Amino acid sequence: MPSRRSFLRTGALAGAGTLAAIVALPSPPDATPLDRTVEASEVPPSIAEWTDEPITGETDSPMVRYQYRPIDDVDTSDFDAFVATAPINVVLVPDADTDAAGLERVMTVLDDEGWLRDPEEYTRYAWDREASEFVRQQATAAETYYGTSGRLHVRCWSFEGIVSMQAHEDTGARPKHGIASYERGLEAMETAFDAAGWNVSPAAIDLDNAQRDYDGTAPVITEGDR
């Protein structure tokens, strides 16, 4: 029986209105089933100092709490010129020496799931506390390019060696994309990275950013031996 993710791809392929969309869609991958049992792990020492109390500000830790969009003209150093749109709901700690390398480690797992990088999407930003400015999404991926029939979709930023991810399930692309679920995006990341051998600590860090079906506590997913 085809998986839920392969079903989404089939629907998107049938509904895509352009040849480009058809070419962009990969063959259905051997995606990790969403009902996979995730083996819970301890929170890594590199994150432990931020797990005692809720993180309530964007400068409190390397993890960001929300993704943002500009209200008007883009002045990335003006915090008040942006408004939050969706909560960060997954935190990842890759085994890498640089932020760029860490993002690539994360994205490789999604590549193996059959996801596409840089899909059709809105531009969003996150606050970099070291640079004191908003930074455009650094890495993105989704199950399909357009998400005509809905899709799982993530945006990522890496600051100070920690990747903050906004994971969600989109509604269909017409008349425009909306958010169907944050929790299903979170669960998809837990199962995919667990299957890839990463350590998953569910509901490990309180980002104080509950929204809709997400309660504000994000899993911490760490690369390394179990």
Side-chain angles (χ1 to χ4, degrees):
M1 178 178 293
S3 70
R4 172 186 164 281
R5 298 184 193 185
S6 64
F7 175 79
L8 286 175
R9 276 194 183 78
T10 302
L13 182 58
T18 67
L19 178 61
I22 294 174
V23 171
L25 291 175
S27 300
D30 293 327
T32 305
L34 288 178
D35 60 357
R36 172 189 171 91
T37 299
V38 174
E39 180 181 345
S41 301
E42 295 293 327
V43 176
S46 58
I47 294 291
E49 66 179 286
W50 291 294
T51 60
D52 291 339
E53 297 180 357
I55 296 172
T56 59
E58 294 288 11
T59 61
D60 292 348
S61 78
M63 288 77 74
V64 298
R65 298 173 57 243
Y66 288 95
Q67 67 176 28
Y68 294 78
R69 64 171 176 81
I71 298 172
D72 202 350
D73 295 334
V74 179
D75 177 359
T76 57
S77 64
D78 183 0
F79 192 90
D80 293 333
F82 287 73
V83 61
T85 64
I88 297 300
N89 57 348
V90 181
V91 173
L92 302 103
V93 186
D95 183 11
D97 294 330
T98 67
D99 283 320
L103 277 173
E104 186 60 27
R105 300 289 292 175
V106 169
M107 296 301 288
T108 296
V109 173
L110 299 180
D111 291 341
D112 292 343
E113 289 283 304
W115 288 36
L116 298 175
R117 300 196 192 195
D118 303 317
E120 183 77 8
E121 61 191 356
Y122 302 117
T123 299
R124 294 293 182 257
Y125 296 79
W127 184 254
D128 179 351
R129 67 172 184 169
E130 289 194 320
S132 295
E133 67 176 0
F134 280 101
V135 174
R136 182 175 174 153
Q137 56 214 33
Q138 296 172 326
T140 65
E143 290 183 298
T144 67
Y145 186 76
Y146 286 111
T148 304
S149 301
R151 63 183 181 182
L152 293 168
H153 178 205
V154 302
R155 295 183 180 89
C156 300
W157 293 263
S158 184
F159 302 132
E160 302 172 55
I162 296 175
V163 176
S164 298
M165 175 186 285
Q166 206 301 298
H168 61 271
E169 182 181 53
D170 282 325
T171 61
R174 300 290 183 270
K176 66 178 182 178
H177 276 306
I179 302 296
S181 171
Y182 295 119
E183 189 66 21
R184 284 194 291 275
L186 181 160
E187 291 172 352
M189 294 303 97
E190 288 182 331
T191 57
F193 281 86
D194 178 72
W198 292 46
N199 301 296
V200 178
S201 305
I205 192 162
D206 186 352
L207 295 176
D208 191 34
N209 59 353
Q211 195 164 325
R212 296 174 60 169
D213 65 343
Y214 164 61
D215 67 4
T217 56
V220 174
I221 302 176
T222 309
E223 186 177 16
D225 295 333
R226 288 179 174 168

